[in-house]
């Protein structure tokens, strides 16, 4: 099978962390990317779930901005801590 090179850009710290992770599990970054590519082709989708952090949704950010504006205007209210059973 003919081999080819690809180039990707990645944050330097993330690259170092990923290299360390790959080393810890006994593979190279090249092997890890090949595993990912083969799984994506086989499944015809990204082989893991990709989801947004709900904290950063536009509706939540708008809610936070309104809360900050209310606090800055002196309209904040203190609430008791709610304990959640897990």
């Amino acid at each position: 099978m003919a081999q080819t090179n690809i180039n990707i850009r990645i944050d330097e710290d993330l690259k170092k962390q990923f290299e360390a992770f790959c080393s810890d599990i006994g593979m190279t970054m090249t092997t890890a990317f090949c595993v990912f590519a083969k799984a994506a082709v086989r499944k015809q989708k990204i082989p893991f779930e990709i989801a947004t952090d709900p904290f950063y949704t536009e509706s939540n950010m708008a809610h936070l901005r309104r809360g900050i504006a209310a606090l800055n205007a002196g309209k904040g209210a203190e609430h008791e801590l709610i304990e959640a059973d897990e």
Side-chain angles (χ1 to χ4, degrees):
M1 171 175 23
Q3 304 254 324
T4 188
N5 291 325
I6 61 170
N7 293 310
I8 61 169
R9 296 188 190 280
I10 189 169
D11 177 81
E12 185 176 345
D13 289 334
L14 178 59
K15 179 183 180 273
K16 288 177 184 176
Q17 292 171 13
F18 189 57
E19 283 177 319
F21 166 75
C22 289
S23 177
D24 288 347
I25 62 171
M27 68 173 59
T28 65
M29 287 190 356
T30 297
T31 301
F33 281 112
C34 287
V35 167
F36 166 80
K38 287 178 181 182
V41 169
R42 184 177 62 254
K43 295 180 179 186
Q44 290 297 293
K45 66 177 190 171
I46 300 294
F48 47 83
E49 182 179 337
I50 298 175
T52 59
D53 184 339
F55 181 83
Y56 294 101
T57 61
E58 184 52 41
S59 62
N60 193 53
M61 297 307 287
H63 174 74
L64 292 171
R65 286 190 289 274
R66 287 190 303 273
I68 291 168
L71 287 173
N72 289 338
K75 299 178 182 175
E78 187 173 332
H79 299 278
E80 294 296 319
L81 179 63
I82 299 172
E83 297 289 334
D85 293 331
E86 292 188 36

